[in-house]
Amino acid sequence: MDRSQIIPRRHRYLTVVCVVLLALALLAAGCTSKDEKSPASTSQPSQAAQSAAPADGVQNGDMVEINYTGTLANGSVFDSSKDRGPFQFVVGTGTAITGFDNQIRGMKVGQDKKFTLSPEEAYGQYDPSLIKSMPIDFVPKGENVTIGDTVTLFNGQAYFPAKIIEMNTTNVTFDLNSQLAGQSLTFEVTLVNVTPAKEVQELMKQLQEEQNQTVQVPVDTTGQSQSSSSQEATTQKKTL
């Protein structure tokens, strides 16, 4: 967690979550930073939302909204949702760190909780093997960076932060460990809202059906396609 307007915020987020889950599902069928935060909101969960939450608390697949404050062992605050609004994620999908995800399960709307995670439950122990020396070309030309700066790298699948710890004319050395690696983290959380897994799944199914729809390719009077780009249009994409 050291690491989004015509559509209501909650429904917009559900759409984004389901698009991401759908993309992951399609990738699985084929072959196998700082996160953006939602706008601040001081509104309380509706009675309907509270009654929709499972009686036995949060379960895998539920989308939750959490207010939190995270502190280090010395008591200093390293992150908080106070100025951003609740942290929103689907439980059991790997969006949140393992220990945090586990602690949220079973909570009920309005419940407060305080817990401490070991490094293994959070960002892991500091790993010296994650110190990597790479060609200086990994730093884009013209970028005004220096030792101590944190940059964003891409490994072909995901973006992640990397701290520059050494640099010369030919090489740059990155520390790929999280800045919170090796730290025990304490969280004080409040569960603000829960969207049941069934509702998330239904929206995901709706999005998948819409993505599978095909469109008519326009043709001119000679029967030829109007453009090569039109020929390539086989999927009608919509947004809720």
Side-chain angles (χ1 to χ4, degrees), residues 77-156:
V77 175
F78 68 87
D79 196 14
S80 175
S81 66
K82 181 179 179 180
D83 298 324
R84 296 188 300 253
F87 172 45
Q88 303 169 309
F89 69 99
V90 177
V91 176
T93 60
T95 305
I97 54 178
T98 302
F100 192 93
D101 195 291
N102 290 339
Q103 289 288 340
I104 299 306
R105 290 188 181 93
M107 288 186 67
K108 298 181 179 181
V109 173
Q111 180 180 348
D112 298 324
K113 190 174 185 180
K114 182 176 181 179
F115 52 87
T116 298
L117 305 180
S118 67
E120 289 77 14
E121 296 173 299
Y123 293 92
Q125 296 289 355
Y126 188 86
D127 185 356
S129 70
L130 293 179
I131 304 297
K132 303 292 185 182
S133 180
M134 302 177 183
I136 194 65
D137 292 341
F138 271 82
V139 178
K141 292 182 179 180
E143 286 289 331
N144 186 23
V145 296
T146 186
I147 294 174
D149 288 348
T150 297
V151 298
T152 300
L153 301 180
F154 182 65
N155 64 0

Side-chain angles (χ1 to χ4, degrees), residues 190-207:
T190 301
L191 179 58
V192 177
N193 203 359
V194 177
T195 300
K198 183 178 180 181
E199 184 176 339
V200 178
Q201 292 168 353
E202 288 174 352
L203 185 54
M204 180 178 173
K205 180 179 178 182
Q206 178 183 347
L207 292 171

